[in-house]
Amino acid sequence: MARIIAVANQKGGVGKTTTAVNLAAALAAAKRKVLLVDLDPQGNATMASGVDKHEAKPNGCEVLLDEATLEQAIVSTEGHYDLLPGNGDLTAAELKLMDAIARESRLKEQLAKLGDKYHTVLIDCPPSLHLLTLNALTAADGVLIPVQCEYFALEGLSSLLDTIKAVRQRLNPKLEIEGLLRTMYDVRNNLGNEVSAQLTQHFGDKVLRSIIPRNVRLAEAPSHGQPIHLYDRSSRGAIAYIGLAGEVIRRERGLAGAVASEPPPLPQEEDGDVPLDSAVDIHQE
């Protein structure tokens, strides 16, 4: 079965979509079979993959509503990974699923039909903790959390960790933190160094060794509909994502070789259950 990784952070502008797209391309370059699921109604991962989100029919909306199959919706990309496109239709899907039975498991049920077709499935989540993100966390084996190396880096992390804990307790016992990825890092910036040290102090080995630098070429690539390794493979951003792909593969091999056990505790976990509706109120908005 494919290892499913949700790329999530409720705080916007932290490099979440950039990470999902470029990690998918870097894993594909390493001869992995990869599916990228764009679960964000903004459709940025779809556009950054060179697919017109306005022309993508059927897309993730129809798949979640069981109006189309994954095979019908998935498209191939220039980056050699497959894509389940997303666009504003996902907002309508979220509203229609509000009263549906097993609404949190729709994506999990669909991805289970893929069997062994892919090595890795990456899910680009919206910058919120509502039903679409809940579907991603219910389907995922791990959560990759991009964290911007700036002042409010830790803002919102506690809410996301509470949600992960709630999903683990109620919906997906195998869910774990894949790692915290430091993004937009500038070694010349003292604040960036302080935030990096603070993350390591709080989360220990959950902080990935890979660091994504602040890089102009990396910021330019989405406007050309290309992942960074196609746009400028010699740039610092491309090299960083190749390193991240290697780290993800090594961690995956380590997990495969480990003896099956209970998922490790979440950082700063407290005793007692976390009510799911208090962690993510999917009835609002």
Side-chain angles (χ1 to χ4, degrees):
M1 293 291 290
R3 179 161 180 81
I4 303 173
I5 301 173
V7 185
N9 191 328
Q10 71 187 80
K11 190 175 186 299
V14 297
K16 177 179 54 60
T17 297
T18 298
T19 293
V21 170
N22 290 300
L23 177 57
L27 287 170
K31 307 302 180 184
R32 313 280 288 184
K33 295 179 180 178
V34 181
L35 171 65
L36 173 60
V37 177
D38 188 354
L39 211 60
D40 188 345
Q42 297 178 84
N44 290 337
T46 298
M47 298 294 284
S49 298
V51 177
D52 188 344
K53 65 181 180 181
H54 303 291
E55 301 296 329
K57 293 285 186 179
N59 54 49
C61 171
E62 286 81 8
V63 171
L64 288 176
L65 295 177
D66 215 14
E67 296 174 354
T69 66
L70 274 170
E71 288 76 12
Q72 292 171 327
I74 288 174
V75 297
S76 59
T77 70
E78 188 181 356
H80 303 293
Y81 56 88
D82 287 347
L83 171 72
L84 176 60
N87 58 25
D89 293 347
L90 285 166
T91 300
E94 187 171 32
L95 293 173
K96 290 180 180 180
L97 288 174
M98 282 297 182
D99 298 321
I101 297 174
R103 59 190 176 185
E104 304 91 351
S105 303
R106 288 299 185 96
L107 182 61
K108 179 180 180 179
E109 293 169 1
Q110 294 295 337
L111 293 180
K113 299 175 184 178
L114 293 173
D116 297 325
K117 185 175 181 179
Y118 297 99
H119 295 111
T120 307
V121 176
L122 296 172
I123 307 173
D124 183 31
C125 300
S128 67
L129 295 179
H130 295 150
L131 185 55
L132 292 174
T133 300
L134 192 58
N135 262 266
L137 297 180
T138 302
D141 300 300
V143 187
L144 178 61
I145 307 173
V147 182
Q148 186 177 3
C149 290
E150 292 191 357
Y151 182 67
F152 291 113
L154 298 179
E155 182 183 4
L157 272 182
S158 60
S159 295
L160 179 58
L161 293 176
D162 284 345
T163 300
I164 293 171
K165 181 180 177 182
V167 171
R168 176 187 285 183
Q169 292 173 343
R170 302 296 183 87
L171 298 168
N172 184 6
K174 68 180 181 180
L175 184 65
E176 61 183 34
I177 293 180
E178 190 77 14
L180 279 77
L181 175 67
R182 290 162 287 181
T183 61
M184 304 181 189
Y185 185 79
D186 187 346
V187 69
R188 300 165 299 178
N189 188 329
N190 289 334
L191 179 60
N193 295 326
E194 292 172 6
V195 170
S196 179
Q198 192 175 17
L199 286 170
T200 303
Q201 179 183 351
H202 278 82
F203 299 102
D205 60 4
K206 289 295 182 184
V207 179
L208 297 175
R209 296 180 64 183
S210 301
I211 299 176
I212 308 303
R214 188 177 291 277
N215 181 244
V216 173
R217 303 296 277 175
L218 194 57
E220 292 174 347
S223 64
H224 294 268
Q226 291 183 322
I228 186 62
H229 89 277
L230 292 180
Y231 182 65
D232 187 351
R233 67 182 303 115
S234 64
S235 67
R236 291 190 304 131
I239 294 169
Y241 276 110
I242 290 172
L244 174 62
E247 186 170 2
V248 168
I249 292 172
R250 288 193 298 273
R251 283 179 171 243
E252 183 178 306
R253 288 172 177 169
L255 287 171
V259 178
S261 61
E262 291 296 319
L266 295 172
Q268 298 179 323
E269 186 174 26
E270 297 178 356
D271 293 334
D273 290 344
V274 177
L276 187 59
D277 287 340
S278 69
V280 50
D281 188 352
I282 58 178
H283 297 289
Q284 295 182 354
E285 297 188 16

